[in-house]
Amino acid sequence: MISSSAVVFFLCFFSKNDQISRIKQRSAFDHVSNFDRRRIVVCRDYRLSFRQIGSRVGRNQTTVMRICDRWMQEGTTDRRGRSHPPQCTPSSDDRRIVHMAVTNRSVTSRTVAQNIESVTHHSVSVRTI
């Protein structure tokens, strides 16, 4: 069985040239695969410079910086931008909101918002409810 440290070593320290070459040549613009995105983040965790990482994954250091910045800011390496802000309440809180509204028909959205804020410590607008 291969240990997780051996996998990290492989991901971080073998360059793309050491791997089996791709069947097709890269075009001028080629999306960074999810595998390479995760590899970039792991290499950065091991304190490699953007230039070193770029040479290992066959990408420009600016691309590596952008992927690392997105990881630091959003916690994701997805290449798709959000068309809307992230949900402020998880599905468990959504169920709690629905339960409050169904069991007590007289409850106002302001009361629900205050209850959610007191439980989650996140500001929730009345409009969100």
Side-chain angles (χ1 to χ4, degrees):
M1 179 166 208
I2 299 173
S3 69
S4 61
S5 60
V7 172
V8 169
F9 178 80
F10 173 79
L11 289 175
C12 226
F13 295 103
F14 284 100
S15 70
K16 189 162 267 215
N17 297 335
D18 294 334
Q19 297 177 13
I20 299 171
S21 64
R22 292 185 178 186
I23 294 173
K24 68 177 185 97
Q25 292 292 327
R26 262 191 28 207
S27 61
F29 177 78
D30 191 19
H31 287 290
V32 181
S33 68
N34 287 333
F35 175 80
D36 282 342
R37 288 173 184 274
R38 288 188 297 265
R39 192 171 166 210
I40 287 168
V41 170
V42 168
C43 287
R44 190 64 183 157
D45 286 343
Y46 277 85
R47 308 277 191 242
L48 270 67
S49 71
F50 295 125
R51 182 174 294 173
Q52 290 171 322
I53 297 169
S55 67
R56 291 178 196 282
V57 296
R59 297 292 172 169
N60 186 303
Q61 72 182 33
T62 306
T63 302
V64 172
M65 286 171 47
R66 181 179 44 78
I67 291 169
C68 289
D69 285 344
R70 179 168 292 152
W71 174 255
M72 293 300 292
Q73 291 174 0
E74 300 175 13
T76 183
T77 59
D78 291 343
R79 64 175 158 254
R80 294 177 217 33
R82 294 183 184 262
S83 60
H84 54 83
Q87 254 187 300
C88 61
T89 58
S91 58
S92 60
D93 289 341
D94 291 344
R95 287 191 299 272
R96 183 179 295 134
I97 292 168
V98 170
H99 179 73
M100 286 177 64
V102 169
T103 57
N104 186 358
R105 298 267 181 194
S106 64
V107 70
T108 64
S109 58
R110 183 173 304 278
T111 306
V112 173
Q114 289 171 346
N115 186 318
I116 295 300
E117 286 179 31
S118 68
V119 172
T120 63
H121 306 291
H122 294 308
S123 177
V124 180
S125 72
V126 174
R127 187 173 177 178
T128 300
I129 303 300

